Coordinates of all heavy atoms in Angstrom, one line a residue:
G1 N -0.6 7.8 -10.6 CA 0.2 6.7 -11.1 C 1.7 7.1 -11.1 O 2.5 6.1 -10.8
E2 N 2.2 8.3 -11.1 CA 3.5 8.6 -10.9 C 4.0 8.5 -9.5 O 5.0 7.9 -9.2 CB 3.7 10.1 -11.3 CG 5.2 10.5 -11.3 CD 6.1 9.8 -12.4 OE1 5.5 9.3 -13.4 OE2 7.1 9.6 -12.1
D3 N 3.1 8.7 -8.6 CA 3.3 8.5 -7.1 C 3.5 6.9 -6.9 O 4.5 6.6 -6.2 CB 2.1 8.9 -6.3 CG 1.9 10.3 -6.3 OD1 2.9 11.1 -6.4 OD2 0.8 10.7 -6.2
L4 N 2.7 6.1 -7.5 CA 2.9 4.7 -7.4 C 4.2 4.1 -8.0 O 4.8 3.3 -7.4 CB 1.7 3.9 -7.9 CG 0.3 4.1 -7.2 CD1 -0.8 3.5 -8.1 CD2 0.4 3.6 -5.9
K5 N 4.5 4.7 -9.1 CA 5.8 4.3 -9.8 C 7.0 4.6 -8.8 O 7.8 3.8 -8.7 CB 5.8 5.1 -11.1 CG 7.2 4.6 -11.9 CD 7.4 5.3 -13.1 CE 8.7 4.9 -13.8 NZ 9.9 4.9 -13.0
R6 N 6.9 5.8 -8.3 CA 8.0 6.3 -7.3 C 8.2 5.2 -6.2 O 9.2 4.7 -5.8 CB 7.9 7.6 -6.9 CG 8.3 8.6 -7.8 CD 8.5 10.1 -7.2 NE 7.4 10.5 -6.5 CZ 6.4 11.1 -7.1 NH1 6.5 11.5 -8.4 NH2 5.3 11.5 -6.5
V7 N 7.0 4.9 -5.6 CA 6.9 4.1 -4.5 C 7.5 2.5 -4.9 O 8.2 2.0 -4.1 CB 5.6 4.0 -3.8 CG1 5.4 2.8 -2.8 CG2 5.2 5.2 -3.1
M8 N 7.0 2.1 -6.0 CA 7.4 0.8 -6.4 C 8.9 0.8 -6.7 O 9.6 -0.3 -6.5 CB 6.6 0.3 -7.7 CG 5.1 0.1 -7.4 SD 4.1 -0.3 -8.9 CE 4.7 -2.0 -9.2
D9 N 9.4 1.9 -7.2 CA 10.9 1.9 -7.5 C 11.6 1.8 -6.1 O 12.6 1.1 -6.0 CB 11.2 3.2 -8.1 CG 10.9 3.3 -9.7 OD1 10.8 2.1 -10.2 OD2 10.9 4.4 -10.2
L10 N 11.1 2.5 -5.1 CA 11.7 2.6 -3.7 C 11.7 1.1 -3.2 O 12.6 0.6 -2.5 CB 11.2 3.5 -2.9 CG 11.3 5.0 -3.3 CD1 10.5 5.9 -2.4 CD2 12.8 5.3 -2.9
I11 N 10.4 0.6 -3.3 CA 10.3 -0.9 -2.7 C 11.1 -1.9 -3.4 O 11.7 -2.7 -2.9 CB 8.7 -1.3 -2.8 CG1 7.9 -0.5 -1.9 CG2 8.6 -2.8 -2.5 CD1 6.5 -0.7 -2.1
Y12 N 11.3 -1.7 -4.8 CA 12.0 -2.7 -5.6 C 13.7 -2.5 -5.1 O 14.2 -3.6 -5.0 CB 12.0 -2.4 -7.1 CG 12.8 -3.1 -8.0 CD1 12.4 -4.5 -8.4 CD2 14.1 -2.7 -8.5 CE1 13.1 -5.2 -9.2 CE2 14.8 -3.5 -9.3 CZ 14.3 -4.8 -9.6 OH 15.1 -5.6 -10.4
A13 N 14.1 -1.4 -4.8 CA 15.4 -1.2 -4.5 C 15.7 -1.6 -3.0 O 16.7 -2.1 -2.7 CB 15.7 0.4 -4.5
S14 N 14.7 -1.5 -2.2 CA 14.9 -1.9 -0.7 C 13.7 -2.2 0.0 O 13.0 -1.5 0.7 CB 15.6 -0.6 0.1 OG 16.7 -0.1 -0.5
P15 N 13.2 -3.3 -0.4 CA 11.9 -3.9 0.1 C 11.7 -4.0 1.6 O 10.8 -3.8 2.3 CB 11.8 -5.3 -0.5 CG 13.0 -5.7 -1.2 CD 13.9 -4.4 -1.2
A16 N 13.0 -4.2 2.3 CA 13.0 -4.2 3.9 C 12.6 -3.0 4.4 O 12.3 -3.0 5.7 CB 14.3 -4.9 4.3
N17 N 12.6 -1.9 3.8 CA 12.6 -0.6 4.4 C 11.0 -0.3 4.5 O 10.8 0.8 5.1 CB 13.3 0.5 3.5 CG 14.7 0.5 3.6 OD1 15.3 -0.2 4.4 ND2 15.4 1.1 2.7
F18 N 10.2 -1.1 4.1 CA 8.8 -0.8 4.1 C 7.9 -1.6 4.9 O 8.2 -2.9 4.8 CB 8.2 -0.7 2.5 CG 8.7 0.4 1.8 CD1 9.9 0.4 1.1 CD2 8.2 1.8 1.9 CE1 10.4 1.4 0.4 CE2 8.5 2.8 1.3 CZ 9.7 2.6 0.5
E19 N 7.0 -1.1 5.7 CA 6.1 -2.0 6.6 C 4.7 -1.6 6.0 O 4.4 -0.5 5.6 CB 6.2 -1.5 8.0 CG 7.6 -1.8 8.6 CD 7.7 -1.2 10.1 OE1 6.6 -0.9 10.6 OE2 8.7 -1.0 10.5
F20 N 3.8 -2.5 6.2 CA 2.5 -2.3 5.8 C 1.4 -2.3 7.0 O 1.7 -3.1 8.0 CB 2.1 -3.2 4.8 CG 2.7 -3.0 3.4 CD1 3.9 -3.6 3.3 CD2 2.2 -2.3 2.5 CE1 4.7 -3.4 2.1 CE2 2.9 -2.0 1.3 CZ 4.2 -2.5 1.0
I21 N 0.4 -1.5 6.9 CA -0.5 -1.5 7.9 C -1.5 -2.7 7.8 O -1.6 -3.3 6.7 CB -1.4 -0.1 7.8 CG1 -2.1 0.2 9.1 CG2 -2.3 -0.1 6.6 CD1 -2.6 1.6 9.1
D22 N -2.1 -3.3 8.9 CA -3.1 -4.4 8.8 C -4.1 -4.0 8.0 O -4.9 -3.0 8.1 CB -3.6 -4.6 10.2 CG -2.5 -5.4 11.1 OD1 -1.5 -5.8 10.5 OD2 -2.6 -5.3 12.4
D23 N -4.5 -4.9 7.1 CA -5.8 -4.8 6.3 C -7.0 -4.4 7.1 O -7.9 -3.7 6.7 CB -5.9 -6.0 5.3 CG -4.8 -6.0 4.2 OD1 -4.1 -5.1 4.0 OD2 -4.8 -7.3 3.7
D24 N -7.1 -5.2 8.1 CA -8.4 -5.0 9.0 C -8.6 -3.5 9.5 O -9.6 -3.1 9.6 CB -8.3 -5.8 10.3 CG -8.3 -7.5 10.0 OD1 -8.7 -7.8 8.8 OD2 -7.8 -8.3 10.7
K25 N -7.5 -3.0 9.8 CA -7.7 -1.6 10.2 C -8.1 -0.6 9.0 O -8.9 0.3 9.3 CB -6.3 -0.9 10.6 CG -5.8 -1.6 12.0 CD -4.5 -1.0 12.4 CE -4.0 -1.7 13.7 NZ -2.8 -1.0 14.2
L26 N -7.7 -0.9 7.9 CA -8.1 -0.1 6.8 C -9.7 -0.5 6.4 O -10.4 0.4 6.1 CB -7.3 -0.4 5.5 CG -5.9 0.1 5.7 CD1 -5.0 -0.3 4.6 CD2 -5.8 1.6 5.9
A27 N -9.8 -1.7 6.4 CA -11.3 -2.2 6.1 C -12.4 -1.8 7.1 O -13.5 -1.5 6.8 CB -11.3 -3.7 6.0
D28 N -11.9 -1.5 8.3 CA -12.8 -1.0 9.4 C -13.0 0.5 9.5 O -13.8 1.0 10.3 CB -12.3 -1.5 10.8 CG -12.6 -3.0 10.9 OD1 -13.3 -3.6 10.1 OD2 -11.8 -3.6 11.8
L29 N -12.3 1.2 8.5 CA -12.5 2.7 8.6 C -14.0 3.0 8.4 O -14.6 2.5 7.4 CB -11.6 3.4 7.6 CG -10.2 3.4 7.9 CD1 -9.3 3.9 6.8 CD2 -9.8 4.2 9.2
P30 N -14.6 4.1 9.0 CA -15.9 4.5 8.7 C -16.0 5.1 7.3 O -17.2 4.9 6.8 CB -16.2 5.7 9.7 CG -15.0 5.6 10.7 CD -14.0 4.7 10.1
N31 N -15.1 5.8 6.8 CA -15.3 6.3 5.4 C -14.8 5.0 4.5 O -13.7 4.8 4.4 CB -14.3 7.4 5.2 CG -14.4 8.1 3.9 OD1 -14.7 7.3 2.9 ND2 -14.3 9.4 3.8
K32 N -15.8 4.4 4.0 CA -15.7 3.2 3.2 C -14.8 3.5 1.9 O -14.1 2.6 1.4 CB -17.0 2.6 2.9 CG -17.7 2.0 4.1 CD -16.9 1.1 4.8 CE -17.5 0.5 6.2 NZ -16.6 -0.1 7.0
V33 N -15.0 4.7 1.3 CA -14.2 4.9 0.1 C -12.8 5.1 0.3 O -11.9 4.4 -0.3 CB -14.8 6.2 -0.7 CG1 -14.0 6.7 -1.9 CG2 -16.3 6.0 -1.0
V34 N -12.4 5.8 1.4 CA -11.1 5.9 1.7 C -10.4 4.6 2.2 O -9.4 4.2 1.8 CB -10.8 6.9 3.0 CG1 -9.4 6.9 3.6 CG2 -11.2 8.3 2.4
G35 N -11.3 3.8 2.9 CA -10.8 2.4 3.4 C -10.5 1.6 2.2 O -9.6 0.8 2.2
A36 N -11.5 1.6 1.0 CA -11.4 0.7 0.1 C -10.1 1.0 -0.9 O -9.3 0.2 -1.3 CB -12.6 0.7 -0.8
V37 N -9.9 2.4 -1.1 CA -8.8 2.8 -1.8 C -7.5 2.4 -1.1 O -6.6 1.9 -1.8 CB -8.8 4.3 -2.0 CG1 -7.6 4.8 -2.7 CG2 -10.0 4.6 -3.0
A38 N -7.3 2.7 0.2 CA -6.1 2.4 1.0 C -5.9 0.8 1.0 O -4.7 0.5 0.9 CB -6.3 3.0 2.3
L39 N -7.0 0.1 1.3 CA -6.8 -1.3 1.2 C -6.4 -2.0 0.1 O -5.4 -2.7 0.0 CB -8.3 -1.9 1.7 CG -8.3 -3.5 1.8 CD1 -7.4 -3.9 3.0 CD2 -9.7 -3.9 2.1
Q40 N -6.8 -1.6 -1.1 CA -6.4 -2.0 -2.3 C -4.9 -1.8 -2.7 O -4.2 -2.4 -3.0 CB -7.2 -1.5 -3.6 CG -8.6 -2.3 -3.5 CD -9.4 -1.9 -4.7 OE1 -9.0 -1.1 -5.6 NE2 -10.5 -2.5 -4.9
L41 N -4.6 -0.5 -2.4 CA -3.2 0.1 -2.5 C -2.3 -0.8 -1.6 O -1.1 -1.2 -2.0 CB -2.9 1.5 -2.2 CG -3.7 2.4 -3.3 CD1 -3.6 3.9 -2.7 CD2 -2.7 2.4 -4.6
N42 N -2.7 -1.0 -0.3 CA -1.9 -1.7 0.7 C -1.7 -3.1 0.2 O -0.6 -3.6 0.2 CB -2.7 -1.6 2.1 CG -1.8 -2.0 3.1 OD1 -0.6 -1.4 3.5 ND2 -2.3 -2.9 3.8
Q43 N -2.7 -3.8 -0.2 CA -2.5 -5.0 -0.7 C -1.6 -5.3 -1.9 O -0.8 -6.2 -1.9 CB -4.0 -5.8 -1.0 CG -4.7 -6.0 0.3 CD -6.2 -6.3 -0.1 OE1 -6.8 -6.1 -1.1 NE2 -7.0 -6.9 0.9
K44 N -1.9 -4.4 -2.9 CA -1.1 -4.6 -4.1 C 0.3 -4.3 -3.9 O 1.2 -5.0 -4.5 CB -1.7 -3.8 -5.3 CG -3.0 -4.2 -5.7 CD -3.1 -5.6 -6.2 CE -4.4 -6.1 -6.6 NZ -4.4 -7.5 -6.9
L45 N 0.6 -3.3 -3.1 CA 2.0 -2.9 -2.9 C 2.7 -3.9 -2.0 O 4.0 -4.3 -2.1 CB 2.1 -1.4 -2.3 CG 1.8 -0.4 -3.3 CD1 1.7 1.0 -2.6 CD2 2.8 -0.3 -4.4
R46 N 2.0 -4.5 -1.0 CA 2.5 -5.6 -0.3 C 2.9 -6.8 -1.1 O 4.0 -7.4 -1.0 CB 1.5 -6.1 0.9 CG 2.1 -7.1 1.7 CD 1.3 -7.7 2.8 NE 0.6 -6.8 3.6 CZ -0.7 -6.6 3.7 NH1 -1.6 -7.3 2.9 NH2 -1.2 -5.6 4.5
E47 N 1.9 -7.1 -2.1 CA 2.3 -8.2 -2.9 C 3.6 -7.9 -3.8 O 4.4 -8.8 -4.0 CB 1.1 -8.4 -4.0 CG -0.1 -9.2 -3.3 CD -1.2 -9.2 -4.5 OE1 -0.8 -9.3 -5.7 OE2 -2.4 -9.2 -4.1
F48 N 3.7 -6.8 -4.3 CA 4.8 -6.3 -5.0 C 6.1 -6.3 -4.2 O 7.2 -6.9 -4.6 CB 4.6 -4.9 -5.5 CG 5.9 -4.4 -6.3 CD1 6.1 -4.9 -7.6 CD2 6.8 -3.5 -5.7 CE1 7.3 -4.6 -8.4 CE2 7.9 -3.1 -6.5 CZ 8.2 -3.6 -7.9

């Protein structure tokens, strides 16, 4: 949670400094657990 707070603070301060990976690339990972975690983080932080 502390890692996410730091990232959200950075995004809030300078949103243009961050790029996000395509959701399709994360959803297609063979390790479904890693893909699901990364996909959810990617989507929520992109929304933020």
Side-chain angles (χ1 to χ4, degrees):
E2 189 61 32
D3 297 327
L4 290 176
K5 183 185 176 307
R6 277 194 306 271
V7 168
M8 290 176 76
D9 287 343
L10 293 169
I11 292 172
Y12 181 81
S14 300
N17 290 346
F18 291 90
E19 299 173 22
F20 291 85
I21 199 165
D22 288 337
D23 288 345
D24 294 340
K25 289 182 181 179
L26 296 172
D28 290 341
L29 289 173
N31 185 328
K32 296 302 179 190
V33 172
V34 169
V37 170
L39 181 62
Q40 287 187 0
L41 288 171
N42 194 55
Q43 290 172 339
K44 295 301 179 187
L45 289 171
R46 183 186 304 116
E47 283 177 30
F48 180 74

